[in-house]
Amino acid sequence: MNEGFLANCLFFTANRLSRSVTKIAEEQFAATGLSPMYGYLILLVNGTPGITQKELAEALYVTPSTLTRFIDKLEAKRLVERKVHGKTVQVYSTDKGMELEDTIRQASKNLQSRYREILGEESKQSLNGEIKSASEKLEKK
Amino acid sequence: MNEGFLANCLFFTANRLSRSVTKIAEEQFAATGLSPMYGYLILLVNGTPGITQKELAEALYVTPSTLTRFIDKLEAKRLVERKVHGKTVQVYSTDKGMELEDTIRQASKNLQSRYREILGEESKQSLNGEIKSASEKLEKK
DNA sequence: ATTTATATATTGTATGTACAAACAAAATAA
DNA sequence: TTATTTTGTTTGTACATACAATATATAAAT
């Protein structure tokens, strides 16, 4: 049972990557006062007024219940607002949310540069591609 | 603002992968009655009696505070036990923990096969390698 | 020997996230 | 039309995980 044998187990490597990637994203988004997840959520809402929660959940790769919680928080901060429409909920941006647009876009740009800076354009791309295709296969069961 | 633009952001792809990988790991570890994290923790303790919490935290890529919580839980279930030794804490396995060894090893094997089955040996390897090297770079800041 | 620094572990607190169950609205079948 | 199924959302609950602050113990410096 050598230590470090976990370094080759996808369960650990994937979680490890997720944490380091998230950490850097949080640093770059600090300027916005939002976590990256909420930042991107706002970009989506600003750019697609009336987007439904279901669509948001899919775009952000989180479950509907998680998305409900996110919208709860952003609505409490008056950064987005709900409009119930039958059984679906459409989400709209607010003035306050719109004001953040540029700041968030900039953070997003900075973040991408940071990744490129650290990993190199080359391997950033290929990493992303491999991850994407792996996720698809894994989700398909 | 096209939807799906997040599919190329490492922040999302990495988190997505982490969730799908974790889900499959949980399925394969269901037979042990433990989550994969706790399962591997027990393997480490069984295989390295007296390993310190600091070492465990490093091997498992979690913070010391998180590890404290894990050990709390496993100790409550009598699957490991602490022995305080000065300022460090050494962790030892119990009979009950030892009894689980084979089951957990088997789950781990099954898990690796499952990954191989879904991704193919080839891309499982390369994915792992790219992830590992990326994590190292990202952690280095 | 006393003070200061360093390292390890723990606790308080907070966040992200999921699953299962409940609920409500809409679509389909009878 | 009424009954049934499906779909979108929400709520209750639980877990993993982190960070910052604290406690405690050893090591180093004076």
Side-chain angles (χ1 to χ4, degrees), chain A residues 33-34 72-80 94 96:
Chain A
L34 295 166
D72 287 348
K73 294 219 177 137
L74 289 180
E75 204 174 31
K77 293 188 190 173
R78 311 269 178 260
L79 289 171
V80 303
T94 62
K96 210 172 156 201

Side-chain angles (χ1 to χ4, degrees), chain A residues 1 3 5-22 24-25 27 36-37 40 43-44 47-48 51 59-62 105 112 114-115 118-119 123 126-128 130-132 134-139 141, chain B residues 1 3 5-22 24-25 27 36-37 40 43-44 47-48 51 59-62 105 112 114-115 118-119 123 126-128 130-132 134-139 141:
Chain A
M1 179 70 34
E3 256 109 300
F5 81 116
L6 299 178
N8 294 305
C9 176
L10 205 47
F11 171 73
F12 286 96
T13 60
N15 281 306
R16 182 185 174 196
L17 178 71
S18 153
R19 281 176 232 139
S20 53
V21 155
T22 299
I24 291 186
E27 284 166 20
M37 180 59 85
Y40 283 111
L43 286 193
L44 278 172
T48 321
I51 189 170
L60 297 167
Y61 305 105
V62 297
R105 279 188 118 83
Q112 296 311 318
R114 197 83 184 87
Y115 287 147
I118 298 174
L119 302 175
S123 64
S126 80
L127 181 64
N128 229 312
E130 282 202 66
I131 289 181
K132 215 191 306 182
S135 296
E136 275 156 20
K137 289 180 198 161
L138 291 165
E139 281 162 12
K141 181 157 261 59
Chain B
M1 179 69 34
E3 256 110 300
F5 81 115
L6 299 179
N8 294 306
C9 176
L10 205 48
F11 172 73
F12 286 96
T13 60
N15 281 306
R16 182 187 174 195
L17 178 71
S18 153
R19 281 176 231 138
S20 52
V21 155
T22 299
I24 291 186
E27 283 166 21
M37 180 59 86
Y40 283 112
L43 287 193
L44 278 172
T48 321
I51 188 170
L60 297 167
Y61 306 104
V62 298
R105 279 189 118 83
Q112 297 310 318
R114 197 81 185 88
Y115 287 147
I118 298 174
L119 302 175
S123 64
S126 81
L127 180 63
N128 230 312
E130 281 203 66
I131 288 181
K132 214 191 309 182
S135 296
E136 275 157 20
K137 289 181 197 160
L138 290 165
E139 282 162 11
K141 183 156 258 57

